[in-house]
Amino acid sequence: MTQAAWEAAELCTGRPGKAREQVELRHRSIPGGYLAVAHADHLRRLYRIDVDAADTRRREALVHEVSHAWVSQGPLALMEGSAALLADCIASKVPGLSQ
């Protein structure tokens, strides 16, 4: 699923995302009511995605967090909005991916 989201994001943007060679995926309880959280290093490369293991929307959240490999700088509201738009494009490329 993550690989399909990644490939769709490359189609949507026309460029590769910024990530380390391996991106760790953790399923765990996330405090603060978040469904998922993307983690990037000091070079803004995605290196880990934490997804709430119990949430029924975790597939949707994972697709959104994958998009942060393309959207990782700027004001928080613009980053999240851009990531949401990219996640919508990803979902349109691979029907059923985020459901």
Coordinates of all heavy atoms in Angstrom, one line a residue:
M1 N 0.8 -1.2 0.0 CA 0.0 0.0 0.0 C 0.9 1.3 0.0 O 0.6 2.2 -0.7 CB -0.9 0.0 1.2 CG -1.8 1.2 1.2 SD -2.4 1.5 2.9 CE -2.6 3.3 2.7
T2 N 1.9 1.3 0.8 CA 2.7 2.5 0.9 C 3.5 2.7 -0.4 O 3.6 3.8 -0.9 CB 3.7 2.3 2.1 OG1 3.0 2.0 3.3 CG2 4.5 3.6 2.3
Q3 N 3.9 1.6 -1.0 CA 4.6 1.7 -2.3 C 3.7 2.3 -3.4 O 4.1 3.1 -4.2 CB 5.2 0.4 -2.7 CG 6.0 0.5 -4.0 CD 7.3 1.3 -3.9 OE1 7.9 1.4 -2.8 NE2 7.6 2.0 -4.9
A4 N 2.4 1.8 -3.4 CA 1.5 2.3 -4.4 C 1.2 3.8 -4.1 O 1.1 4.6 -5.1 CB 0.2 1.5 -4.2
A5 N 1.1 4.2 -2.9 CA 0.9 5.7 -2.6 C 2.1 6.5 -3.1 O 2.0 7.6 -3.6 CB 0.7 5.9 -1.1
W6 N 3.3 5.9 -2.8 CA 4.5 6.6 -3.3 C 4.6 6.8 -4.8 O 4.8 7.9 -5.3 CB 5.8 5.8 -2.8 CG 7.0 6.6 -3.0 CD1 7.8 6.6 -4.1 CD2 7.7 7.4 -2.1 NE1 8.9 7.4 -3.9 CE2 8.8 7.9 -2.7 CE3 7.4 7.8 -0.8 CZ2 9.7 8.8 -2.0 CZ3 8.2 8.7 -0.1 CH2 9.4 9.2 -0.8
E7 N 4.3 5.7 -5.5 CA 4.3 5.8 -7.0 C 3.3 6.7 -7.5 O 3.5 7.5 -8.5 CB 4.1 4.4 -7.5 CG 5.3 3.5 -7.3 CD 5.1 2.0 -7.6 OE1 4.0 1.7 -8.1 OE2 6.0 1.2 -7.3
A8 N 2.1 6.7 -6.9 CA 1.0 7.7 -7.3 C 1.4 9.1 -7.0 O 1.2 10.0 -7.9 CB -0.3 7.3 -6.6
A9 N 2.1 9.4 -5.9 CA 2.6 10.7 -5.6 C 3.6 11.2 -6.6 O 3.6 12.4 -7.0 CB 3.2 10.8 -4.2
E10 N 4.4 10.3 -7.1 CA 5.4 10.7 -8.1 C 4.7 11.0 -9.4 O 5.1 12.0 -10.1 CB 6.4 9.6 -8.4 CG 7.4 9.5 -7.2 CD 8.5 8.4 -7.5 OE1 8.2 7.4 -8.2 OE2 9.5 8.5 -6.9
L11 N 3.6 10.3 -9.8 CA 2.8 10.6 -10.9 C 2.1 12.0 -10.8 O 2.1 12.8 -11.7 CB 1.7 9.6 -11.2 CG 2.2 8.2 -11.7 CD1 1.1 7.2 -11.7 CD2 2.8 8.4 -13.1
C12 N 1.6 12.3 -9.6 CA 0.9 13.5 -9.3 C 1.8 14.7 -9.4 O 1.4 15.8 -9.9 CB 0.2 13.5 -8.0 SG -1.2 12.4 -7.9
T13 N 3.1 14.6 -8.9 CA 4.0 15.7 -8.8 C 5.0 15.8 -10.0 O 5.5 16.9 -10.2 CB 4.8 15.7 -7.5 OG1 5.6 14.5 -7.5 CG2 3.8 15.7 -6.3
G14 N 5.2 14.7 -10.6 CA 6.2 14.6 -11.7 C 7.7 14.6 -11.2 O 8.6 14.9 -11.9
R15 N 7.8 14.4 -9.9 CA 9.2 14.3 -9.3 C 9.3 13.4 -8.1 O 8.2 13.0 -7.5 CB 9.6 15.7 -8.9 CG 8.8 16.3 -7.7 CD 9.3 17.7 -7.4 NE 8.4 18.3 -6.4 CZ 8.5 18.2 -5.1 NH1 9.5 17.4 -4.6 NH2 7.7 18.8 -4.2
P16 N 10.5 12.9 -7.8 CA 10.6 12.0 -6.6 C 10.4 12.8 -5.3 O 10.7 14.0 -5.2 CB 12.0 11.5 -6.7 CG 12.7 12.5 -7.5 CD 11.7 13.1 -8.4
G17 N 10.0 12.1 -4.3 CA 9.9 12.7 -2.9 C 11.2 12.7 -2.2 O 12.1 12.0 -2.7
K18 N 11.3 13.4 -1.1 CA 12.5 13.4 -0.3 C 12.3 12.5 0.8 O 11.5 12.7 1.7 CB 12.7 14.8 0.2 CG 13.0 15.9 -0.9 CD 13.1 17.2 -0.3 CE 14.5 17.7 -0.2 NZ 14.7 19.0 0.4
A19 N 13.1 11.4 0.8 CA 13.0 10.4 1.9 C 14.4 9.7 1.9 O 15.1 9.6 1.0 CB 11.9 9.4 1.6
R20 N 14.6 9.1 3.1 CA 15.8 8.2 3.3 C 15.5 7.0 2.5 O 14.4 6.7 2.0 CB 16.0 7.9 4.7 CG 16.5 9.1 5.5 CD 16.8 8.6 6.9 NE 17.2 9.8 7.8 CZ 17.3 9.7 9.1 NH1 17.1 8.5 9.7 NH2 17.7 10.8 9.8
E21 N 16.5 6.2 2.2 CA 16.3 5.0 1.5 C 15.3 4.1 2.0 O 14.5 3.4 1.3 CB 17.7 4.2 1.3 CG 17.6 3.1 0.4 CD 18.9 2.7 -0.2 OE1 19.8 3.5 -0.3 OE2 19.1 1.5 -0.4
Q22 N 15.2 4.0 3.4 CA 14.2 3.2 4.0 C 13.4 4.1 4.9 O 13.9 4.9 5.7 CB 14.8 2.1 4.9 CG 15.6 1.0 4.2 CD 14.6 0.1 3.5 OE1 13.6 -0.3 4.0 NE2 15.0 -0.3 2.2
V23 N 12.0 4.0 4.8 CA 11.1 4.8 5.6 C 10.4 3.8 6.5 O 9.8 2.8 6.1 CB 10.1 5.6 4.8 CG1 9.1 6.2 5.7 CG2 10.8 6.5 3.9
E24 N 10.6 4.0 7.8 CA 10.0 3.1 8.8 C 8.5 3.4 9.0 O 8.2 4.5 9.0 CB 10.8 3.2 10.2 CG 10.2 2.3 11.3 CD 10.9 2.6 12.6 OE1 11.8 3.5 12.7 OE2 10.6 1.9 13.5
L25 N 7.7 2.4 9.1 CA 6.3 2.5 9.4 C 6.0 1.9 10.7 O 6.2 0.7 10.9 CB 5.5 1.8 8.3 CG 4.0 1.8 8.4 CD1 3.5 3.3 8.4 CD2 3.3 1.1 7.2
R26 N 5.5 2.7 11.6 CA 5.1 2.2 13.0 C 3.6 2.3 13.2 O 3.0 3.4 12.9 CB 5.8 3.1 14.0 CG 7.3 2.9 14.2 CD 7.7 3.6 15.4 NE 9.1 3.6 15.6 CZ 9.8 4.3 16.5 NH1 9.2 5.1 17.3 NH2 11.1 4.2 16.6
H27 N 3.1 1.3 13.7 CA 1.6 1.3 14.1 C 1.6 1.3 15.6 O 2.1 0.4 16.3 CB 0.9 0.0 13.6 CG 0.9 -0.1 12.1 ND1 -0.1 0.5 11.4 CD2 1.7 -0.7 11.2 CE1 0.0 0.3 10.1 NE2 1.1 -0.4 9.9
R28 N 1.1 2.4 16.1 CA 1.1 2.6 17.6 C 0.0 3.6 18.0 O -0.6 4.2 17.1 CB 2.5 3.1 18.0 CG 2.8 4.5 17.5 CD 4.2 4.9 18.0 NE 4.5 6.3 17.7 CZ 4.2 7.4 18.5 NH1 3.6 7.2 19.6 NH2 4.5 8.6 18.1
S29 N -0.2 3.8 19.2 CA -1.1 4.8 19.7 C -0.4 6.1 19.7 O 0.8 6.3 20.1 CB -1.4 4.5 21.2 OG -2.3 5.4 21.7
I30 N -1.0 7.1 19.1 CA -0.4 8.5 19.0 C -1.2 9.4 19.9 O -2.4 9.6 19.7 CB -0.5 8.9 17.5 CG1 0.3 7.9 16.6 CG2 0.1 10.3 17.4 CD1 0.2 8.2 15.2
P31 N -0.5 10.1 20.8 CA -1.2 11.1 21.7 C -1.6 12.3 20.9 O -1.1 12.6 19.8 CB -0.1 11.4 22.7 CG 1.2 11.1 22.0 CD 0.9 10.0 21.1
G32 N -2.5 13.0 21.5 CA -3.0 14.3 20.9 C -4.0 14.2 19.9 O -4.4 15.2 19.2
G33 N -4.6 13.0 19.6 CA -5.7 12.9 18.7 C -5.3 12.8 17.2 O -6.1 12.9 16.4
Y34 N -4.0 12.7 17.0 CA -3.5 12.6 15.6 C -3.8 11.2 15.1 O -3.6 10.2 15.8 CB -2.1 12.9 15.5 CG -1.7 14.4 15.8 CD1 -1.2 14.7 17.0 CD2 -2.0 15.4 14.8 CE1 -0.9 16.1 17.3 CE2 -1.7 16.7 15.1 CZ -1.2 17.0 16.4 OH -0.9 18.3 16.7
L35 N -4.1 11.1 13.8 CA -4.3 9.8 13.1 C -2.9 9.2 12.7 O -2.7 8.0 12.7 CB -5.2 9.9 11.9 CG -6.6 10.4 12.1 CD1 -7.3 10.5 10.8 CD2 -7.3 9.5 13.1
A36 N -2.0 10.1 12.4 CA -0.7 9.7 11.9 C 0.3 10.9 12.0 O -0.2 12.1 12.0 CB -0.7 9.2 10.5
V37 N 1.5 10.6 12.0 CA 2.6 11.7 12.0 C 3.7 11.3 11.2 O 4.2 10.1 11.2 CB 3.1 11.9 13.5 CG1 4.1 13.0 13.5 CG2 1.9 12.2 14.4
A38 N 4.2 12.2 10.3 CA 5.4 12.0 9.5 C 6.6 12.6 10.2 O 6.5 13.7 10.8 CB 5.2 12.6 8.1
H39 N 7.7 12.0 10.1 CA 8.9 12.5 10.7 C 10.0 12.6 9.6 O 10.2 11.7 8.8 CB 9.5 11.5 11.8 CG 8.5 11.2 12.9 ND1 8.5 12.0 14.0 CD2 7.5 10.3 13.0 CE1 7.5 11.5 14.8 NE2 6.9 10.5 14.2
A40 N 10.6 13.8 9.6 CA 11.7 14.1 8.7 C 13.0 14.5 9.4 O 12.9 15.0 10.5 CB 11.2 15.3 7.8
D41 N 14.1 14.2 8.7 CA 15.4 14.6 9.3 C 15.7 16.0 9.0 O 14.9 16.8 8.5 CB 16.5 13.6 8.9 CG 16.7 13.6 7.4 OD1 16.3 14.6 6.7 OD2 17.3 12.7 6.9
H42 N 16.9 16.5 9.4 CA 17.3 17.9 9.2 C 17.4 18.3 7.8 O 17.4 19.4 7.4 CB 18.6 18.1 10.0 CG 19.8 17.4 9.4 ND1 20.0 16.1 9.5 CD2 20.8 17.9 8.6 CE1 21.1 15.7 8.9 NE2 21.6 16.8 8.3
L43 N 17.5 17.3 6.9 CA 17.5 17.6 5.4 C 16.1 17.5 4.8 O 15.9 17.5 3.6 CB 18.4 16.6 4.7 CG 19.9 16.7 5.1 CD1 20.7 15.6 4.4 CD2 20.5 18.0 4.8
R44 N 15.1 17.4 5.7 CA 13.7 17.3 5.3 C 13.3 16.1 4.5 O 12.4 16.0 3.7 CB 13.2 18.6 4.5 CG 13.3 19.8 5.4 CD 12.6 21.0 4.6 NE 12.6 22.1 5.4 CZ 13.4 23.2 5.3 NH1 14.3 23.2 4.4 NH2 13.3 24.2 6.1
R45 N 14.1 15.0 4.8 CA 13.8 13.7 4.2 C 13.0 12.9 5.2 O 13.3 12.7 6.3 CB 15.1 12.9 3.9 CG 16.0 13.6 2.9 CD 17.3 12.8 2.7 NE 17.9 12.7 4.1 CZ 19.0 12.1 4.3 NH1 19.6 11.4 3.3 NH2 19.6 12.0 5.5
L46 N 11.9 12.3 4.6 CA 11.0 11.5 5.4 C 11.8 10.2 5.9 O 12.5 9.6 5.0 CB 9.8 11.1 4.5 CG 8.7 10.2 5.2 CD1 7.9 11.1 6.2 CD2 7.7 9.8 4.1
Y47 N 11.7 9.9 7.2 CA 12.4 8.7 7.6 C 11.4 7.8 8.4 O 11.7 6.6 8.6 CB 13.6 9.0 8.4 CG 13.4 9.6 9.8 CD1 13.2 8.8 10.9 CD2 13.4 11.0 9.9 CE1 13.0 9.4 12.2 CE2 13.2 11.6 11.2 CZ 13.0 10.8 12.3 OH 12.8 11.4 13.5
R48 N 10.3 8.3 8.9 CA 9.4 7.4 9.7 C 8.0 8.0 9.6 O 7.8 9.2 9.6 CB 9.8 7.4 11.1 CG 9.0 6.3 11.9 CD 9.5 6.2 13.3 NE 8.9 7.2 14.2 CZ 9.5 7.9 15.1 NH1 10.8 7.7 15.4 NH2 8.9 8.8 15.8
I49 N 7.0 7.1 9.5 CA 5.6 7.4 9.6 C 5.0 6.6 10.7 O 5.1 5.4 10.8 CB 4.9 7.1 8.3 CG1 5.4 8.0 7.1 CG2 3.4 7.4 8.5 CD1 4.8 7.6 5.8
D50 N 4.4 7.3 11.7 CA 3.7 6.7 12.8 C 2.2 6.7 12.4 O 1.7 7.8 12.1 CB 3.9 7.4 14.1 CG 5.3 7.3 14.6 OD1 6.1 6.4 14.1 OD2 5.7 8.2 15.4
V51 N 1.5 5.6 12.5 CA 0.1 5.5 12.2 C -0.6 5.0 13.4 O -0.2 4.0 14.0 CB -0.2 4.7 11.0 CG1 -1.7 4.6 10.7 CG2 0.6 5.2 9.8
D52 N -1.8 5.6 13.8 CA -2.5 5.1 14.9 C -3.1 3.7 14.6 O -3.8 3.5 13.7 CB -3.7 6.0 15.3 CG -4.3 5.7 16.6 OD1 -4.6 4.5 16.9 OD2 -4.6 6.6 17.4
A53 N -2.6 2.7 15.4 CA -3.0 1.3 15.1 C -4.5 1.0 15.2 O -5.0 0.1 14.6 CB -2.2 0.4 16.0
A54 N -5.1 1.8 16.1 CA -6.5 1.5 16.4 C -7.5 2.2 15.5 O -8.7 1.9 15.5 CB -6.8 1.8 17.8
D55 N -7.1 3.2 14.8 CA -8.0 4.1 14.0 C -8.5 3.4 12.7 O -7.7 2.9 12.0 CB -7.4 5.4 13.8 CG -8.5 6.5 13.4 OD1 -9.0 6.4 12.3 OD2 -8.8 7.3 14.3
T56 N -9.7 3.5 12.4 CA -10.3 2.9 11.2 C -9.9 3.7 9.9 O -10.0 3.2 8.8 CB -11.8 2.8 11.3 OG1 -12.4 4.1 11.4 CG2 -12.2 1.9 12.4
R57 N -9.4 5.0 10.1 CA -9.0 5.8 9.0 C -7.5 5.8 8.7 O -6.9 6.6 8.1 CB -9.5 7.2 9.2 CG -11.0 7.4 9.2 CD -11.5 8.7 9.6 NE -10.7 9.8 8.9 CZ -10.6 11.0 9.5 NH1 -11.3 11.3 10.6 NH2 -9.9 11.9 8.8
R58 N -6.8 4.7 9.2 CA -5.4 4.7 9.2 C -4.9 4.7 7.7 O -3.8 5.2 7.4 CB -4.8 3.6 10.0 CG -5.1 2.2 9.6 CD -4.6 1.2 10.6 NE -5.2 -0.1 10.5 CZ -6.2 -0.5 11.1 NH1 -6.8 0.3 12.0 NH2 -6.7 -1.7 10.9
R59 N -5.6 4.0 6.8 CA -5.1 4.0 5.4 C -5.2 5.4 4.8 O -4.2 5.8 4.1 CB -6.0 3.1 4.6 CG -5.8 1.6 4.9 CD -6.8 0.7 4.2 NE -6.7 0.7 2.8 CZ -5.9 -0.1 2.0 NH1 -5.2 -1.0 2.6 NH2 -5.8 0.0 0.7
E60 N -6.2 6.2 5.1 CA -6.3 7.5 4.6 C -5.2 8.4 5.2 O -4.5 9.2 4.5 CB -7.7 8.1 5.0 CG -7.9 9.6 4.7 CD -9.2 10.1 5.3 OE1 -10.0 9.3 5.7 OE2 -9.3 11.3 5.3
A61 N -4.9 8.2 6.5 CA -3.9 8.9 7.2 C -2.5 8.6 6.6 O -1.6 9.5 6.5 CB -3.9 8.6 8.7
L62 N -2.3 7.3 6.3 CA -1.0 6.9 5.8 C -0.7 7.6 4.4 O 0.4 8.1 4.2 CB -0.9 5.4 5.7 CG 0.4 4.8 5.1 CD1 1.6 5.3 5.9 CD2 0.3 3.3 5.0
V63 N -1.7 7.6 3.6 CA -1.6 8.3 2.3 C -1.2 9.8 2.5 O -0.3 10.3 1.8 CB -2.9 8.1 1.4 CG1 -2.8 9.1 0.2 CG2 -3.1 6.7 1.0
H64 N -1.9 10.4 3.4 CA -1.6 11.8 3.7 C -0.1 12.0 4.2 O 0.6 12.9 3.7 CB -2.5 12.4 4.8 CG -2.2 13.8 5.2 ND1 -2.7 14.9 4.6 CD2 -1.4 14.2 6.2 CE1 -2.2 16.0 5.2 NE2 -1.4 15.6 6.2
E65 N 0.3 11.1 5.1 CA 1.7 11.2 5.6 C 2.7 10.9 4.5 O 3.8 11.6 4.5 CB 1.9 10.3 6.8 CG 1.0 10.7 8.0 CD 1.0 12.2 8.4 OE1 2.1 12.8 8.3 OE2 -0.1 12.7 8.8
V66 N 2.5 10.0 3.6 CA 3.4 9.8 2.5 C 3.6 11.1 1.7 O 4.7 11.4 1.3 CB 2.9 8.6 1.6 CG1 3.6 8.6 0.3 CG2 3.0 7.3 2.3
S67 N 2.5 11.8 1.6 CA 2.6 13.1 0.8 C 3.6 14.1 1.4 O 4.1 15.0 0.7 CB 1.3 13.7 0.6 OG 0.8 14.3 1.8
H68 N 3.9 13.9 2.7 CA 4.9 14.8 3.3 C 6.3 14.6 2.8 O 7.2 15.5 3.1 CB 4.8 14.8 4.8 CG 3.7 15.5 5.4 ND1 3.6 16.9 5.3 CD2 2.5 15.1 6.0 CE1 2.5 17.3 5.9 NE2 1.8 16.2 6.3
A69 N 6.6 13.6 2.0 CA 7.9 13.4 1.4 C 8.0 14.5 0.3 O 9.1 14.8 -0.2 CB 8.1 12.0 0.8
W70 N 6.9 15.0 -0.2 CA 6.9 16.1 -1.2 C 6.6 17.4 -0.6 O 7.0 18.4 -1.2 CB 5.9 15.8 -2.3 CG 6.3 14.7 -3.2 CD1 6.9 14.8 -4.5 CD2 6.2 13.3 -3.0 NE1 7.2 13.6 -5.0 CE2 6.8 12.6 -4.1 CE3 5.8 12.5 -1.9 CZ2 6.9 11.3 -4.2 CZ3 5.9 11.1 -2.1 CH2 6.4 10.5 -3.2
V71 N 5.9 17.5 0.5 CA 5.5 18.7 1.1 C 6.1 18.7 2.5 O 5.5 18.1 3.4 CB 4.0 18.8 1.2 CG1 3.6 20.2 1.8 CG2 3.4 18.6 -0.2
S72 N 7.2 19.4 2.7 CA 7.9 19.3 4.0 C 8.5 20.7 4.5 O 9.3 20.7 5.4 CB 9.0 18.3 4.0 OG 10.0 18.7 3.0
Q73 N 8.1 21.7 3.9 CA 8.6 23.0 4.4 C 7.5 24.1 4.1 O 6.7 24.0 3.3 CB 9.9 23.4 3.7 CG 9.8 23.5 2.2 CD 11.2 23.7 1.6 OE1 12.2 23.4 2.2 NE2 11.3 24.2 0.4
G74 N 7.7 25.2 4.9 CA 6.8 26.3 4.8 C 5.9 26.4 6.0 O 6.0 25.5 7.0
P75 N 5.0 27.3 6.1 CA 4.0 27.4 7.2 C 3.2 26.2 7.3 O 2.8 25.5 6.3 CB 3.1 28.6 6.8 CG 3.9 29.4 5.8 CD 4.8 28.4 5.1
L76 N 2.9 25.8 8.6 CA 2.2 24.5 8.9 C 0.9 24.4 8.1 O 0.6 23.4 7.6 CB 2.0 24.4 10.4 CG 1.4 23.1 10.8 CD1 2.2 21.9 10.4 CD2 1.2 23.1 12.3
A77 N 0.1 25.4 8.2 CA -1.2 25.4 7.5 C -1.1 25.1 6.0 O -1.8 24.3 5.4 CB -2.0 26.6 7.8
L78 N -0.1 25.8 5.4 CA 0.1 25.5 3.9 C 0.6 24.1 3.6 O 0.3 23.5 2.7 CB 1.0 26.6 3.4 CG 0.5 28.0 3.3 CD1 1.5 29.0 2.8 CD2 -0.8 28.1 2.5
M79 N 1.5 23.7 4.5 CA 2.1 22.3 4.3 C 0.9 21.3 4.4 O 0.8 20.4 3.6 CB 3.1 22.0 5.4 CG 4.5 22.4 5.0 SD 5.8 21.7 6.1 CE 5.0 21.4 7.7
E80 N 0.1 21.4 5.5 CA -1.0 20.4 5.7 C -2.0 20.5 4.5 O -2.5 19.5 4.1 CB -1.6 20.6 7.0 CG -0.7 20.2 8.2 CD -0.3 18.7 8.1 OE1 -1.1 17.9 7.7 OE2 0.9 18.5 8.4
G81 N -2.3 21.7 4.1 CA -3.2 21.9 3.0 C -2.7 21.3 1.7 O -3.4 20.6 1.0
S82 N -1.4 21.6 1.4 CA -0.8 21.0 0.2 C -0.7 19.5 0.3 O -0.9 18.8 -0.7 CB 0.6 21.6 0.0 OG 0.5 23.0 -0.2
A83 N -0.4 19.0 1.5 CA -0.3 17.5 1.7 C -1.7 16.9 1.4 O -1.8 15.8 0.8 CB 0.2 17.2 3.0
A84 N -2.7 17.6 1.9 CA -4.1 17.0 1.7 C -4.5 17.0 0.2 O -5.1 16.1 -0.3 CB -5.1 17.9 2.5
L85 N -4.1 18.1 -0.5 CA -4.4 18.1 -1.9 C -3.6 17.0 -2.7 O -4.1 16.3 -3.5 CB -4.0 19.5 -2.5 CG -4.9 20.6 -2.1 CD1 -4.3 21.9 -2.6 CD2 -6.3 20.4 -2.7
L86 N -2.3 16.8 -2.3 CA -1.6 15.7 -2.9 C -2.2 14.3 -2.5 O -2.3 13.4 -3.4 CB -0.1 15.8 -2.5 CG 0.8 14.7 -3.1 CD1 0.7 14.6 -4.6 CD2 2.3 15.0 -2.7
A87 N -2.6 14.2 -1.3 CA -3.2 12.9 -0.9 C -4.5 12.7 -1.7 O -4.8 11.5 -2.1 CB -3.6 12.9 0.6
D88 N -5.3 13.7 -2.1 CA -6.4 13.5 -2.9 C -6.0 13.1 -4.3 O -6.7 12.2 -4.9 CB -7.2 14.9 -3.0 CG -8.0 15.2 -1.8 OD1 -8.1 14.4 -0.9 OD2 -8.4 16.4 -1.7
C89 N -4.9 13.6 -4.8 CA -4.4 13.2 -6.1 C -4.0 11.8 -6.1 O -4.3 11.0 -7.0 CB -3.3 14.1 -6.6 SG -2.7 13.7 -8.3
I90 N -3.3 11.4 -5.0 CA -2.8 10.0 -4.9 C -4.0 9.1 -4.9 O -4.1 8.0 -5.6 CB -2.0 9.8 -3.6 CG1 -0.7 10.6 -3.6 CG2 -1.8 8.4 -3.2 CD1 0.0 10.8 -2.3
A91 N -5.1 9.4 -4.1 CA -6.3 8.6 -4.0 C -7.0 8.5 -5.4 O -7.6 7.4 -5.7 CB -7.2 9.1 -3.0
S92 N -6.9 9.5 -6.2 CA -7.5 9.5 -7.5 C -6.8 8.6 -8.5 O -7.3 8.0 -9.4 CB -7.7 10.9 -8.1 OG -6.4 11.4 -8.6
K93 N -5.5 8.4 -8.3 CA -4.6 7.6 -9.1 C -4.8 6.1 -8.8 O -4.6 5.3 -9.7 CB -3.2 8.0 -9.0 CG -2.8 9.4 -9.4 CD -2.9 9.5 -10.9 CE -2.4 10.9 -11.3 NZ -2.8 11.3 -12.7
V94 N -5.1 5.8 -7.5 CA -5.2 4.4 -7.1 C -6.5 4.3 -6.3 O -6.6 4.4 -5.1 CB -4.0 4.0 -6.2 CG1 -4.1 2.5 -5.8 CG2 -2.7 4.3 -6.8
P95 N -7.6 4.1 -7.0 CA -8.9 4.0 -6.3 C -8.9 2.9 -5.2 O -8.4 1.9 -5.4 CB -9.9 3.6 -7.5 CG -9.2 4.2 -8.7 CD -7.7 4.0 -8.4
G96 N -9.5 3.3 -4.1 CA -9.6 2.4 -3.0 C -8.4 2.4 -2.0 O -8.4 1.8 -1.0
L97 N -7.3 3.1 -2.4 CA -6.1 3.0 -1.7 C -6.3 3.6 -0.3 O -5.8 3.1 0.7 CB -5.0 3.8 -2.4 CG -3.6 3.8 -1.7 CD1 -3.0 2.4 -1.7 CD2 -2.7 4.8 -2.4
S98 N -7.0 4.7 -0.1 CA -7.1 5.3 1.2 C -8.4 5.0 1.9 O -8.8 5.7 2.8 CB -7.0 6.9 1.0 OG -8.0 7.4 0.2
Q99 N -9.1 3.9 1.5 CA -10.3 3.5 2.2 C -10.2 2.3 3.0 O -9.4 1.5 2.8 CB -11.4 3.3 1.1 CG -11.7 4.6 0.4 CD -12.6 4.3 -0.8 OE1 -12.9 3.2 -1.2 NE2 -13.2 5.4 -1.3

